[in-house]
Amino acid sequence: MLKATKKRFDIKILVANSTVSETFELEKNIVKVHGVLVTSDKDDLLYYRGTQKIEINKEEFFPDNYESKLLMSGINVSPKQRYYDLGGVAPGNGRVQILYKDLDDGRTVFAPYRVSLYLDCEMEDEL
Amino acid sequence: MMKEGVIITKISIKQKGERKHFQIKLPMDTKFIIGVEYGGRLIDKPETVVVEPAPDDGGHTPTFFKRNQLIGELKLQSCEEANWFYSADVLANDVNLGLADFSKAGFPVNDFTHGNKRTEEIVKIDAESTIIQGWYLDALGKSVNADIKYEVNVYVWINVEE
Protein backbone atom coordinates (compact mmCIF):
# COMPACT_ATOMS: atom_id res chain seq x y z
CA MET A 1 0.00 0.00 0.00
CA LEU A 2 1.19 3.51 -0.78
CA LYS A 3 1.17 6.24 1.81
CA ALA A 4 2.17 9.88 1.91
CA THR A 5 5.20 10.93 3.89
CA LYS A 6 7.20 14.10 4.34
CA LYS A 7 11.00 14.19 4.50
CA ARG A 8 13.11 16.96 5.94
CA PHE A 9 16.80 17.61 5.31
CA ASP A 10 18.75 20.42 6.96
CA ILE A 11 21.84 22.36 6.00
CA LYS A 12 23.64 25.03 8.04
CA ILE A 13 24.81 28.32 6.60
CA LEU A 14 27.56 29.55 8.89
CA VAL A 15 29.42 32.06 6.72
CA ALA A 16 28.01 34.94 4.70
CA ASN A 17 28.25 34.66 0.91
CA SER A 18 29.12 30.99 1.08
CA THR A 19 27.98 28.00 -0.94
CA VAL A 20 26.92 24.78 0.75
CA SER A 21 26.39 21.55 -1.12
CA GLU A 22 24.83 18.47 0.48
CA THR A 23 23.56 15.19 -0.85
CA PHE A 24 20.83 13.31 1.00
CA GLU A 25 19.47 9.88 0.42
CA LEU A 26 15.83 8.87 0.39
CA GLU A 27 14.68 5.50 1.69
CA LYS A 28 14.46 2.73 -0.86
CA ASN A 29 10.71 2.35 -0.42
CA ILE A 30 9.96 5.90 -1.59
CA VAL A 31 8.42 5.61 -5.03
CA LYS A 32 7.52 9.20 -5.88
CA VAL A 33 8.44 12.74 -4.93
CA HIS A 34 5.45 15.03 -5.35
CA GLY A 35 6.58 18.34 -4.00
CA VAL A 36 9.35 20.47 -2.60
CA LEU A 37 9.42 23.29 -0.05
CA VAL A 38 12.19 25.27 1.64
CA THR A 39 12.03 26.94 5.03
CA SER A 40 14.48 28.30 7.57
CA ASP A 41 14.83 29.23 11.21
CA LYS A 42 15.53 32.80 9.99
CA ASP A 43 13.15 32.99 7.10
CA ASP A 44 13.97 36.60 6.21
CA LEU A 45 17.56 35.57 5.47
CA LEU A 46 16.42 32.65 3.34
CA TYR A 47 13.88 34.85 1.57
CA TYR A 48 16.21 37.69 0.68
CA ARG A 49 19.62 36.00 0.43
CA GLY A 50 19.06 32.43 -0.68
CA THR A 51 19.35 30.73 -4.05
CA GLN A 52 19.65 27.02 -4.68
CA LYS A 53 19.97 24.24 -7.19
CA ILE A 54 18.03 21.04 -6.52
CA GLU A 55 18.68 17.71 -8.21
CA ILE A 56 16.88 14.43 -7.68
CA ASN A 57 18.47 11.32 -9.15
CA LYS A 58 20.98 13.59 -10.94
CA GLU A 59 18.15 15.32 -12.75
CA GLU A 60 18.08 19.06 -12.27
CA PHE A 61 14.67 20.40 -11.20
CA PHE A 62 15.73 23.87 -10.16
CA PRO A 63 18.89 25.30 -11.73
CA ASP A 64 21.69 27.20 -10.13
CA ASN A 65 20.63 30.63 -8.80
CA TYR A 66 16.94 29.74 -8.53
CA GLU A 67 15.76 32.00 -5.72
CA SER A 68 14.63 30.38 -2.49
CA LYS A 69 11.74 32.82 -2.12
CA LEU A 70 10.09 31.12 -5.11
CA LEU A 71 9.94 27.85 -3.18
CA MET A 72 8.71 29.29 0.12
CA SER A 73 5.12 29.40 1.34
CA GLY A 74 3.88 31.51 4.21
CA ILE A 75 1.33 30.58 6.83
CA ASN A 76 -1.37 32.16 4.70
CA VAL A 77 -1.12 29.16 2.37
CA SER A 78 -3.13 26.15 3.48
CA PRO A 79 -0.88 23.28 4.64
CA LYS A 80 -1.91 20.95 1.84
CA GLN A 81 -0.90 23.46 -0.84
CA ARG A 82 2.43 24.66 0.49
CA TYR A 83 4.67 22.39 -1.57
CA TYR A 84 5.88 23.26 -5.06
CA ASP A 85 4.31 20.58 -7.27
CA LEU A 86 6.84 18.43 -9.12
CA GLY A 87 4.17 16.15 -10.54
CA GLY A 88 5.27 12.79 -9.08
CA VAL A 89 8.93 12.28 -9.86
CA ALA A 90 10.46 8.79 -9.63
CA PRO A 91 13.37 9.13 -7.17
CA GLY A 92 15.64 6.70 -9.06
CA ASN A 93 18.77 6.24 -6.97
CA GLY A 94 17.13 8.29 -4.20
CA ARG A 95 19.86 10.90 -4.07
CA VAL A 96 18.74 14.47 -3.53
CA GLN A 97 21.35 17.15 -3.96
CA ILE A 98 21.01 20.76 -2.88
CA LEU A 99 23.56 23.41 -3.75
CA TYR A 100 22.67 26.44 -1.67
CA LYS A 101 24.19 29.89 -2.15
CA ASP A 102 23.98 32.73 0.32
CA LEU A 103 24.38 36.20 -1.21
CA ASP A 104 24.39 39.60 0.45
CA ASP A 105 21.22 41.62 0.14
CA GLY A 106 20.99 45.24 1.28
CA ARG A 107 17.91 44.51 3.41
CA THR A 108 19.43 41.90 5.75
CA VAL A 109 22.26 41.44 8.23
CA PHE A 110 23.83 37.99 8.16
CA ALA A 111 23.64 35.60 11.08
CA PRO A 112 24.19 31.82 10.88
CA TYR A 113 20.98 30.11 9.88
CA ARG A 114 19.49 26.76 8.99
CA VAL A 115 17.87 25.89 5.67
CA SER A 116 15.40 23.01 5.65
CA LEU A 117 14.45 21.20 2.48
CA TYR A 118 11.12 19.39 2.72
CA LEU A 119 10.02 16.75 0.25
CA ASP A 120 6.47 15.52 -0.11
CA CYS A 121 6.89 11.82 -0.93
CA GLU A 122 4.88 8.71 -1.50
CA MET A 123 6.24 5.48 -0.06
CA GLU A 124 5.40 1.82 -0.12
CA ASP A 125 4.25 0.57 3.23
CA GLU A 126 6.32 -2.60 3.07
CA LEU A 127 9.30 -3.51 0.96
CA MET B 1 7.87 13.28 -23.87
CA MET B 2 7.83 16.90 -22.79
CA LYS B 3 9.89 18.05 -19.86
CA GLU B 4 9.87 21.37 -18.05
CA GLY B 5 12.92 23.52 -17.52
CA VAL B 6 13.74 27.05 -16.52
CA ILE B 7 16.22 29.56 -17.92
CA ILE B 8 17.47 32.21 -15.50
CA THR B 9 18.69 35.57 -16.73
CA LYS B 10 20.19 38.22 -14.48
CA ILE B 11 19.75 41.89 -15.23
CA SER B 12 22.08 44.13 -13.33
CA ILE B 13 20.96 47.73 -12.71
CA LYS B 14 23.35 50.40 -11.47
CA GLN B 15 21.91 53.78 -12.40
CA LYS B 16 18.62 55.54 -11.92
CA GLY B 17 16.33 55.26 -14.90
CA GLU B 18 18.63 52.71 -16.53
CA ARG B 19 17.18 50.95 -19.54
CA LYS B 20 18.50 47.50 -20.42
CA HIS B 21 18.06 45.48 -23.58
CA PHE B 22 18.95 41.83 -23.19
CA GLN B 23 18.56 38.49 -24.91
CA ILE B 24 17.57 35.14 -23.46
CA LYS B 25 18.92 32.15 -25.33
CA LEU B 26 16.73 29.07 -25.23
CA PRO B 27 17.97 25.51 -25.83
CA MET B 28 17.53 24.25 -29.40
CA ASP B 29 15.03 21.56 -28.36
CA THR B 30 12.62 24.04 -26.72
CA LYS B 31 9.05 23.60 -27.93
CA PHE B 32 7.11 26.18 -25.94
CA ILE B 33 7.65 28.99 -23.51
CA ILE B 34 5.14 28.19 -20.79
CA GLY B 35 5.72 30.68 -18.00
CA VAL B 36 7.57 33.73 -16.76
CA GLU B 37 8.36 34.91 -13.25
CA TYR B 38 10.83 37.31 -11.69
CA GLY B 39 12.75 37.89 -8.51
CA GLY B 40 15.51 40.18 -7.39
CA ARG B 41 18.21 41.17 -4.99
CA LEU B 42 19.27 44.52 -3.65
CA ILE B 43 23.06 44.82 -3.91
CA ASP B 44 23.70 48.25 -2.54
CA LYS B 45 21.36 50.35 -0.49
CA PRO B 46 22.17 54.07 -0.14
CA GLU B 47 21.58 55.34 3.38
CA THR B 48 18.86 57.79 2.49
CA VAL B 49 16.71 55.40 0.48
CA VAL B 50 13.76 53.55 1.87
CA VAL B 51 13.34 50.66 -0.53
CA GLU B 52 10.44 48.96 1.15
CA PRO B 53 7.95 50.48 3.48
CA ALA B 54 8.25 48.94 6.92
CA PRO B 55 5.55 46.50 8.03
CA ASP B 56 2.53 48.13 9.57
CA ASP B 57 3.57 49.22 13.04
CA GLY B 58 0.24 50.56 14.11
CA GLY B 59 0.90 54.05 12.81
CA HIS B 60 -1.93 53.58 10.35
CA THR B 61 -5.22 51.87 10.76
CA PRO B 62 -5.07 48.26 9.54
CA THR B 63 -7.41 49.16 6.70
CA PHE B 64 -5.07 51.82 5.32
CA PHE B 65 -4.06 50.56 1.88
CA LYS B 66 -0.43 51.20 0.99
CA ARG B 67 1.20 51.38 -2.42
CA ASN B 68 3.72 48.67 -3.32
CA GLN B 69 7.18 49.86 -4.31
CA LEU B 70 7.57 49.79 -8.10
CA ILE B 71 11.03 48.49 -9.03
CA GLY B 72 10.81 48.63 -12.81
CA GLU B 73 9.12 47.51 -15.99
CA LEU B 74 9.91 44.25 -17.75
CA LYS B 75 8.92 43.26 -21.29
CA LEU B 76 9.72 40.19 -23.36
CA GLN B 77 9.30 39.47 -27.05
CA SER B 78 9.90 36.37 -29.11
CA CYS B 79 12.02 36.98 -32.22
CA GLU B 80 9.48 35.14 -34.36
CA GLU B 81 6.46 37.16 -33.34
CA ALA B 82 5.46 40.79 -33.38
CA ASN B 83 4.67 42.58 -30.11
CA TRP B 84 5.55 41.79 -26.54
CA PHE B 85 4.24 38.51 -25.17
CA TYR B 86 4.98 39.44 -21.58
CA SER B 87 4.84 42.81 -19.91
CA ALA B 88 4.90 43.36 -16.17
CA ASP B 89 5.49 45.91 -13.50
CA VAL B 90 8.23 44.53 -11.28
CA LEU B 91 7.11 45.18 -7.72
CA ALA B 92 8.80 44.73 -4.36
CA ASN B 93 7.14 42.81 -1.56
CA ASP B 94 3.41 43.01 -1.02
CA VAL B 95 3.10 45.59 1.74
CA ASN B 96 -0.64 45.03 2.14
CA LEU B 97 -0.40 41.47 3.40
CA GLY B 98 -1.51 42.62 6.83
CA LEU B 99 -4.44 44.63 5.54
CA ALA B 100 -7.41 44.52 7.90
CA ASP B 101 -5.51 42.44 10.44
CA PHE B 102 -6.76 43.80 13.73
CA SER B 103 -5.18 41.12 15.89
CA LYS B 104 -1.83 42.87 16.55
CA ALA B 105 -0.75 39.54 17.91
CA GLY B 106 2.98 40.30 18.02
CA PHE B 107 3.65 38.26 14.88
CA PRO B 108 4.48 40.94 12.29
CA VAL B 109 3.13 40.26 8.83
CA ASN B 110 5.90 39.89 6.26
CA ASP B 111 6.22 38.25 2.87
CA PHE B 112 8.56 35.61 4.25
CA THR B 113 6.17 34.55 7.00
CA HIS B 114 2.71 35.21 5.54
CA GLY B 115 3.43 35.32 1.81
CA ASN B 116 1.45 33.35 -0.72
CA LYS B 117 2.98 30.57 -2.74
CA ARG B 118 4.79 32.03 -5.73
CA THR B 119 3.91 30.60 -9.12
CA GLU B 120 4.97 31.63 -12.59
CA GLU B 121 2.65 33.61 -14.86
CA ILE B 122 1.47 31.26 -17.54
CA VAL B 123 2.15 32.12 -21.17
CA LYS B 124 2.04 29.82 -24.19
CA ILE B 125 4.46 30.87 -26.89
CA ASP B 126 5.87 28.82 -29.71
CA ALA B 127 9.64 28.61 -29.33
CA GLU B 128 10.56 28.36 -33.00
CA SER B 129 13.02 31.14 -32.47
CA THR B 130 15.46 30.34 -29.70
CA ILE B 131 16.06 33.98 -28.82
CA ILE B 132 13.86 36.11 -26.61
CA GLN B 133 14.35 39.86 -26.69
CA GLY B 134 13.97 41.54 -23.34
CA TRP B 135 13.66 45.10 -22.17
CA TYR B 136 13.86 46.45 -18.64
CA LEU B 137 13.44 50.01 -17.35
CA ASP B 138 14.40 51.05 -13.82
CA ALA B 139 11.78 52.85 -11.76
CA LEU B 140 13.20 52.39 -8.25
CA GLY B 141 16.22 54.67 -8.76
CA LYS B 142 14.06 57.27 -10.48
CA SER B 143 11.47 57.28 -7.71
CA VAL B 144 14.05 58.07 -5.02
CA ASN B 145 16.40 60.06 -7.28
CA ALA B 146 19.47 57.91 -6.49
CA ASP B 147 21.63 55.27 -8.14
CA ILE B 148 20.64 51.96 -6.58
CA LYS B 149 22.46 48.76 -7.47
CA TYR B 150 20.24 45.72 -7.74
CA GLU B 151 19.65 42.61 -9.79
CA VAL B 152 16.45 41.40 -11.37
CA ASN B 153 16.25 37.69 -12.20
CA VAL B 154 13.97 36.71 -15.04
CA TYR B 155 12.82 33.07 -15.02
CA VAL B 156 11.54 31.73 -18.31
CA TRP B 157 9.87 28.33 -18.00
CA ILE B 158 10.05 26.17 -21.10
CA ASN B 159 8.84 22.84 -22.43
CA VAL B 160 11.64 20.74 -23.83
CA GLU B 161 11.20 17.62 -25.90
CA GLU B 162 13.10 14.73 -24.30
Side-chain angles (χ1 to χ4, degrees):
Chain A
M1 203 179 89
L2 296 174
K3 68 173 186 183
T5 182
K6 308 278 189 286
K7 293 287 164 195
R8 170 180 159 173
F9 305 106
D10 289 352
I11 56 175
K12 294 258 186 218
I13 315 302
L14 302 170
V15 182
N17 299 312
S18 61
T19 301
V20 177
S21 175
E22 290 262 9
T23 302
F24 305 101
E25 209 155 313
L26 295 169
E27 286 97 329
K28 296 281 182 264
N29 57 341
I30 287 182
V31 292
K32 273 182 184 169
V33 180
H34 288 290
V36 61
L37 175 73
V38 290
T39 65
S40 172
D41 59 343
K42 296 186 176 76
D43 23 25
D44 54 333
L45 299 187
L46 176 65
Y47 187 89
Y48 289 119
R49 304 173 64 100
T51 67
Q52 76 279 298
K53 174 168 104 166
I54 297 176
E55 287 183 358
I56 301 173
N57 188 27
K58 290 195 173 170
E59 191 179 347
E60 185 181 273
F61 284 90
F62 299 99
D64 223 0
N65 296 319
Y66 194 86
E67 285 172 85
S68 304
K69 71 176 78 163
L70 303 176
L71 295 177
M72 292 171 77
S73 291
I75 58 167
N76 275 352
V77 183
S78 64
K80 264 201 121 168
Q81 294 174 340
R82 283 181 190 162
Y83 285 76
Y84 187 101
D85 186 11
L86 292 179
V89 174
N93 63 12
R95 282 174 186 267
V96 178
Q97 193 197 16
I98 179 167
L99 181 92
Y100 182 87
K101 272 189 210 168
D102 173 84
L103 275 172
D104 268 338
D105 181 286
R107 293 163 287 191
T108 53
V109 178
F110 181 83
Y113 61 106
R114 182 202 77 221
V115 176
S116 299
L117 171 70
Y118 285 84
L119 297 176
D120 178 17
C121 305
E122 198 174 325
M123 68 192 290
E124 270 179 22
D125 228 356
E126 291 168 13
L127 275 178
Chain B
M1 204 181 99
M2 292 289 213
K3 204 176 100 174
E4 285 186 11
V6 60
I7 309 291
I8 303 175
T9 307
K10 275 190 186 181
I11 308 163
S12 187
I13 300 294
K14 297 187 180 82
Q15 291 179 324
K16 68 176 173 186
E18 192 172 339
R19 189 186 303 255
K20 275 258 164 107
H21 290 269
F22 58 95
Q23 289 191 331
I24 301 172
K25 179 93 182 72
L26 304 176
M28 293 295 283
D29 50 358
T30 307
K31 290 289 166 203
F32 295 104
I33 300 161
I34 54 171
V36 181
E37 59 188 327
Y38 61 79
R41 185 169 75 91
L42 184 66
I43 296 172
D44 182 21
K45 183 179 172 186
E47 287 303 311
T48 53
V49 174
V50 178
V51 176
E52 283 173 40
D56 188 4
D57 57 0
H60 301 296
T61 62
T63 51
F64 185 81
F65 193 81
K66 288 166 277 180
R67 181 176 58 226
N68 286 331
Q69 174 71 56
L70 179 66
I71 304 292
E73 286 175 53
L74 172 68
K75 293 179 181 179
L76 301 176
Q77 178 181 12
S78 166
C79 280
E80 286 292 306
E81 308 282 341
N83 303 323
W84 307 109
F85 70 82
Y86 180 81
S87 175
D89 284 339
V90 176
L91 297 164
N93 298 350
D94 182 0
V95 293
N96 294 300
L97 271 174
L99 190 73
D101 176 13
F102 293 91
S103 63
K104 299 272 181 250
F107 185 13
V109 175
N110 289 299
D111 255 22
F112 44 87
T113 51
H114 292 65
N116 291 322
K117 191 162 80 171
R118 303 272 295 255
T119 50
E120 71 272 20
E121 276 186 65
I122 293 170
V123 296
K124 182 92 177 187
I125 303 292
D126 215 315
E128 276 176 18
S129 161
T130 54
I131 302 279
I132 295 175
Q133 299 282 357
W135 178 89
Y136 180 82
L137 175 66
D138 168 67
L140 176 64
K142 263 201 305 200
S143 69
V144 293
N145 199 22
D147 294 335
I148 301 173
K149 290 183 190 164
Y150 63 96
E151 277 175 1
V152 176
N153 296 322
V154 181
Y155 300 85
V156 176
W157 285 89
I158 52 173
N159 259 345
V160 177
E161 193 157 306
E162 252 186 318

